[in-house]
Amino acid sequence: AQSVTQLDSQVPVFEEAPVELRCNYSSSVSVYLFWYVQYPNQGLQLLLKYLSGSTLVKGINGFEAEFNKSQTSFHLRKPSVHISDTAEYFCAVSAVPDDKIIFGKGTRLHILP
Amino acid sequence: DTAVSQTPKYLVTQMGNDKSIKCEQNLGHDTMYWYKQDSKKFLKIMFSYNNKELIINETVPNRFSPKSPDKAHLNLHINSLELGDSAVYFCASSPRDRGYEQYFGPGTRLTVT
């Protein structure tokens, strides 16, 4: 069975600074990987996904993530954060093919003025 | 047009009552899900339906019963509500041919008193 670990429960970062949110997964089969964002009092929204192909994936709102198979990681990055990026970020993994997505416990991104 | 909608948005009820949450998606997806998000933001899958057929049924108490009248609707009925059922419940849908990326509804905040 697959699992996903988000190494930081909370990440404070100053506005306009870069940020990296870490995600590691475990699986004995090939996986699909996702990052979702949840703004306060809202549902989850897909930021980006890795299905196959290029290991560098670009998403919405200036975010990108890199799939590293050898390190079983899928870290999320943004070169310059904005106050509007304040949210909870979830990494998720799905075995290929599978109907179920396993979510990490989330990382709260806290933007400091 | 809202892609995945849920009603009601808020639900406050007393222990022992029976309640239902409705979900509808207009994306033409075949697969729909129910998730429970606890107070620590942990997101756990409860059920999944594909074309009205139950395909995922996690270890959820029998008091929870999903019903899918057609592939655009997935409702959740909860009998004999308990304090521990208080949470935010999310409905989601996904297309099977895109790595099962999921589209979430806005959530229903259930408070049991």
Side-chain angles (χ1 to χ4, degrees):
Chain A
Q2 63 272 27
S3 66
V4 60
T5 302
Q6 291 184 244
L7 298 161
D8 305 297
S9 60
Q10 192 167 222
V11 173
V13 61
F14 286 103
E15 196 169 12
E16 298 184 5
V19 68
E20 179 180 81
L21 304 184
R22 297 180 294 167
C23 173
N24 285 89
Y25 70 93
S26 172
S27 177
S28 57
V29 299
S30 297
V31 295
Y32 297 139
L33 292 158
F34 308 86
W35 275 98
Y36 285 82
V37 60
Q38 184 178 25
Y39 298 106
N41 298 314
Q42 294 187 27
L44 279 72
Q45 178 183 0
L46 182 68
L47 267 181
L48 48 79
K49 62 184 178 185
Y50 171 79
L51 303 184
S52 65
S54 173
T55 57
L56 183 62
V57 180
K58 293 191 182 298
I60 62 172
N61 301 341
F63 284 93
E64 64 180 31
E66 186 155 20
F67 170 58
N68 188 318
K69 189 174 181 180
S70 62
Q71 297 188 4
T72 60
S73 68
F74 191 55
H75 300 333
L76 181 71
R77 301 186 186 98
K78 186 170 182 178
S80 175
V81 296
H82 188 266
I83 194 76
S84 60
D85 293 322
T86 298
E88 194 88 20
Y89 291 79
F90 292 91
C91 182
V93 62
S94 173
V96 179
D98 198 352
D99 290 295
K100 188 163 71 172
I101 290 182
I102 305 297
F103 284 86
K105 293 188 175 183
T107 298
R108 178 165 295 181
L109 180 58
H110 182 47
I111 309 298
L112 305 169
Chain B
D1 275 349
T2 303
V4 182
S5 59
Q6 295 179 227
T7 53
K9 188 168 174 65
Y10 300 96
L11 186 53
V12 181
T13 188
Q14 292 183 329
M15 285 175 54
N17 285 348
D18 303 339
K19 291 293 179 185
S20 292
I21 306 172
K22 296 187 176 182
C23 177
E24 176 181 2
Q25 55 98 0
N26 62 7
L27 298 168
H29 293 163
D30 289 331
T31 308
M32 295 183 73
Y33 307 80
W34 277 111
Y35 287 88
K36 179 180 180 180
Q37 186 175 48
D38 64 22
S39 59
K40 295 185 178 180
K41 300 287 189 181
F42 183 56
L43 201 63
K44 183 170 169 48
I45 189 167
M46 300 173 70
F47 302 102
S48 174
Y49 268 74
N50 180 255
N51 262 325
K52 302 194 297 177
E53 180 185 346
L54 182 65
I55 53 173
I56 294 175
N57 185 351
E58 295 293 294
T59 49
V60 176
N62 291 338
R63 300 181 294 103
F64 290 80
S65 54
K67 286 186 172 51
S68 181
D70 56 60
K71 77 172 193 176
H73 295 84
L74 180 61
N75 303 323
L76 183 66
H77 189 75
I78 316 170
N79 290 328
S80 303
L81 279 155
E82 300 177 357
L83 292 176
D85 298 332
S86 295
V88 181
Y89 292 84
F90 287 101
C91 176
S93 71
S94 75
R96 291 174 70 90
D97 60 352
R98 289 215 297 270
Y100 307 103
E101 64 184 64
Q102 298 190 7
Y103 296 75
F104 282 78
T108 296
R109 183 175 294 276
L110 172 64
T111 303
V112 183
T113 61

